[in-house]
Amino acid sequence: MTAVTSGGNTVTAGPGTPVRRSRAPLGWSAAFALAWLLPLATHLLHADALLLVVVVAGLAGLQRGTAGWFDRVVVSLAQLFPALCVAGLLFSVWPWHLHPVAVGGFALSVLVLLSLLTGRRPARPGRWRARDWVLAVGFGGVTALALEPFVLRDLGGRLGLLIPGEDMSRHFLLFDMIGQVGGYAFLNPEESLRYAPADLAEESGTTRRAPTSASPCWITSSARHRPRRPTALSR
């Protein structure tokens, strides 16, 4: 008499009954292969943005203990943000940097591995409830208010919103450099010199070299100490 566990069920087989081998390893191998084939397909179709939706939806499907759609999405986003910050250290030093196929394949592989280790399978949350409509309207309204100053302006108008606030400009430049150099600026010091002024490079941990002609110092620390011209209100 042989007891075989397959798919969470225990099957008892007699002495003369052939025991079928589990196909779980084949299924997991196919899942890991699909985790890389899907980013490759979206990249060939110029639809890399769909990977963001797939990753969030995949993690939301693995959530447990949350009932509603928005509950799972919010928890998933809260988990993805710090995970992405840590993964950015790897993306900054490996050869592919922020290539969509590499990043998407890595993210989906982590989801498959998480499903394998926890034994969870993607599952849909409960039905759409009335309070989900309240959350959806609130989320949409706040998003519209945040995007309105940028959506209704051209490139010059958008830059005009950022340049007057020096601190905001610095944060935008550091954020934009991640896409330009393929990772964190402080892990790519030579490439960052093309975009960051000397004082900003020091703050981001990139370098302490003097500014060169290749580094556009449109934001400098001297601007903070430059005397301001008197205005009508100060006279």
Side-chain angles (χ1 to χ4, degrees), residues 119-144:
R120 299 177 181 178
R121 300 296 183 270
R124 295 178 57 185
R127 62 183 180 85
W128 189 272
R129 299 164 300 179
R131 72 174 186 178
D132 291 327
W133 284 111
V134 178
L135 293 173
V137 172
F139 177 81
V142 173
T143 302

Side-chain angles (χ1 to χ4, degrees), residues 145-192:
L145 290 176
L147 295 179
E148 182 271 334
F150 298 93
V151 174
L152 300 181
R153 289 174 171 83
D154 57 4
L155 179 60
R158 295 168 188 171
L159 291 175
L161 295 175
L162 298 174
I163 291 178
E166 184 182 356
D167 186 63
M168 185 180 296
S169 302
R170 289 169 176 265
H171 282 83
F172 177 80
L173 181 58
L174 288 173
F175 176 79
D176 188 64
M177 276 197 301
I178 295 177
Q180 298 294 336
V181 305
Y184 289 130
F186 69 91
L187 293 178
N188 298 273
E190 297 300 327
E191 294 84 352
S192 301

Side-chain angles (χ1 to χ4, degrees), residues 35-36 39 51 55 91 94 98-110:
W36 288 92
L51 292 176
V55 171
F91 300 154
W94 71 359
L98 298 180
H99 194 281
V101 176
V103 175
F106 176 82
L108 294 178
S109 297
V110 171

